């Protein structure tokens, strides 16, 4: 093998069998792309010798077995993609040793155990979704440049840590389809001025929505459905003028729908059915259905529910 090879791309082929351990002889290799392929093998521990790697993608390769501990030796690695495999076992505890790591994709595997408390401070994009991870969400509010956090579709328990409000550059937070409890949105999330997507649906979150919700001025999608959220919708939501999708069905939200929400002129989808609203939909919100809002649902089908909607696209 030519030991002066710096980049090797074998992706999007139909390569099968075990991965050639001879690749580990390419000590100057910086970029290695092996997926998607059909290797159906374990990731060789000898790859830990490729300490000069900057980008390593072995995604969608039918990989089995554990994540080799030797990968934590990659202090130059900036991107690691092992997603869309069937990797099992725990995430290595010493991830924090990978001090240059900016992108970590471990999603769509069968990983178990908890999310490590020590995570590289250099991370920008962290995706752990669709595994079998358990335990609580670590208090990782010190990841100052993290922009994307996907931890949905796992078995996580406990509350959403208030410390996550320290992720000042966060753009997306996906925590849906877990077993989370406690407050639906910590008041500290009012500090997340860059947050665009907030998905916490399909948990067991309870309590009321905080007024600080209105401080997330860049929010475009808010999914809180299928929880146990109570109380009234905060009037401060009227400040979410970029909000396009508000999905809040199947909770226990009460009171009247605030007329102030008529200020949400970017709304395209508003699902409020399966709650305990009373009164009628304010005209200010009905006016939105003449522009972008085309999907609007409430509990207005029965005469005895105590709720009237003259402009809903569908009544439950």
């Amino acid at each position: 093998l030519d030991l002066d090879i710096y980049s090797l791309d074998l992706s999007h082929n139909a390569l099968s069998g075990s991965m050639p351990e001879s690749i580990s002889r390419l000590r100057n290799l910086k970029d290695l792309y092996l997926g998607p392929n059909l290797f159906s093998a374990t990731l060789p521990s000898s790859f830990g010798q490729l300490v000069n790697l900057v980008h390593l993608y072995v995604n969608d390769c039918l990989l089995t077995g554990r994540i080799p501990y030797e990968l934590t030796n990659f202090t130059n690695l900036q991107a690691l993609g092992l997603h869309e495999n069937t990797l099992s076992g725990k995430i290595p505890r010493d991830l924090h040793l990978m001090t240059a790591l900016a992108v970590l994709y471990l999603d769509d595997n069968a990983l178990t155990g908890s999310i490590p408390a020590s995570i590289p401070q250099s991370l920008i994009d962290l995706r752990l979704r669709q595994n079998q991870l358990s335990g609580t969400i670590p208090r990782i509010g010190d990841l100052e440049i993290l922009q994307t956090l996907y931890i949905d579709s796992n078995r996580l328990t406990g509350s959403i840590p208030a410390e996550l409000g320290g992720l000042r550059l966060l753009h997306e937070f996906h925590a849906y389809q877990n077993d989370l409890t406690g407050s639906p949105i910590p008041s500290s999330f009012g500090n997340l001025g860059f947050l665009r997507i907030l998905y916490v649906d399909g948990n067991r979150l309870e309590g009321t929505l905080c007024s600080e919700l209105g401080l997330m001025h860049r929010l475009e999608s808010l999914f809180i459905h299928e929880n146990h959220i109570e109380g009234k919708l905060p009037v401060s939501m009227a400040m979410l003028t970029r909000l396009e999708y508000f999905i809040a069905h199947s909770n226990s939200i009460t009171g009247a729908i605030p007329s102030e929400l008529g200020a949400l002129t970017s709304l395209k989808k508003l699902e409020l059915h399966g709650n305990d609203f009373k009164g009628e939909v304010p005209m200010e919100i009905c006016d939105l259905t003449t522009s972008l809002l085309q999907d609007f649902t409430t509990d207005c089908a029965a005469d005895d529910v105590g709720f009237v909607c003259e402009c809903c696209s569908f009544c439950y």
Side-chain angles (χ1 to χ4, degrees):
L1 291 174
D2 184 357
L3 300 181
D4 289 330
I5 294 176
Y6 294 97
S7 182
L8 179 61
D9 189 346
L10 301 176
S11 60
H12 296 282
N13 288 290
L15 300 175
S16 60
S18 60
M19 291 186 183
E21 297 212 17
S22 54
I23 290 177
S24 62
R25 292 170 52 193
L26 303 176
R27 302 299 174 82
N28 293 321
L29 202 60
K30 293 184 179 298
D31 303 315
L32 179 57
Y33 302 94
L34 296 177
N37 273 300
L38 303 171
F39 286 115
S40 187
T42 58
L43 193 64
S45 60
S46 60
F47 278 21
Q49 301 174 34
L50 301 174
V51 294
N52 291 312
L53 277 178
V54 176
H55 302 99
L56 174 60
Y57 284 90
V58 198
N59 55 292
D60 198 7
C61 284
L62 305 177
L63 284 181
T64 59
R66 297 174 177 267
I67 301 173
Y69 175 82
E70 289 80 3
L71 294 187
T72 59
N73 295 328
F74 290 176
T75 55
N76 296 312
L77 197 67
Q78 296 178 12
L80 174 60
L82 301 178
H83 47 296
E84 298 177 22
N85 287 294
T86 53
L87 293 170
S88 58
K90 297 181 178 181
I91 300 172
R93 297 289 98 182
D94 291 333
L95 280 180
H96 63 280
L97 299 177
M98 306 171 75
T99 54
L101 195 63
V103 174
L104 179 59
Y105 294 166
L106 300 179
D107 44 304
D108 291 278
N109 279 289
L111 298 172
T112 56
S114 58
I115 301 173
S118 297
I119 295 178
Q121 301 291 305
S122 51
L123 273 177
I124 295 175
D125 193 343
L126 176 58
R127 306 191 184 196
L128 304 176
R129 68 179 304 271
Q130 204 148 339
N131 280 286
Q132 299 169 25
L133 298 172
S134 57
T136 59
I137 302 172
R139 303 180 188 280
I140 52 175
D142 56 346
L143 301 182
E144 295 182 351
I145 60 174
L146 189 68
Q147 296 181 14
T148 305
L149 179 57
Y150 290 7
I151 53 174
D152 58 271
S153 308
N154 281 290
R155 300 171 180 174
L156 299 174
T157 56
S159 60
I160 300 173
E163 287 81 357
L164 297 188
L167 304 176
R168 300 299 181 97
L169 297 183
L170 196 65
H171 288 63
E172 298 186 30
F173 180 58
H174 297 218
Y176 60 90
Q177 295 298 328
N178 280 290
D179 198 23
L180 299 171
T181 56
S183 175
I185 301 172
S187 60
S188 62
F189 273 37
N191 297 322
L192 304 181
F194 289 97
L195 195 66
R196 295 186 300 103
I197 296 175
L198 177 55
Y199 295 160
V200 294
D201 49 288
N203 285 285
R204 292 191 295 124
L205 300 171
E206 56 192 6
T208 60
L209 294 172
C210 61
S211 60
E212 289 82 358
L213 179 61
L215 299 177
M216 293 184 276
H217 301 302
R218 289 182 172 86
L219 201 62
E220 298 172 2
S221 294
L222 176 59
F223 287 17
I224 60 171
H225 54 286
E226 296 175 359
N227 280 291
H228 305 299
I229 299 171
E230 304 170 335
K232 299 179 180 181
L233 292 179
V235 174
S236 61
M237 286 188 63
M239 295 188 289
L240 302 178
T241 55
R242 298 189 185 185
L243 193 64
E244 298 180 2
Y245 302 95
F246 180 38
I247 314 300
H249 67 78
S250 308
N251 280 290
S252 300
I253 304 173
T254 58
I257 299 176
S259 60
E260 288 85 352
L261 299 191
L264 304 181
T265 55
S266 298
L267 268 183
K268 298 177 181 178
K269 192 169 187 177
L270 177 61
E271 295 188 0
L272 300 178
H273 61 274
N275 284 288
D276 296 315
F277 291 110
K278 300 298 180 183
E280 60 182 281
V281 174
M283 186 55 62
E284 291 87 346
I285 295 179
C286 282
D287 288 344
L288 298 178
T289 62
T290 63
S291 55
L292 294 178
L293 182 58
Q294 299 299 312
D295 191 347
F296 179 26
T297 62
T298 65
D299 297 304
C300 50
D303 294 333
D304 59 349
V305 296
F307 189 77
V308 178
C309 182
E310 301 292 342
C311 57
C312 287
S313 58
F314 189 84
C315 286
Y316 284 84

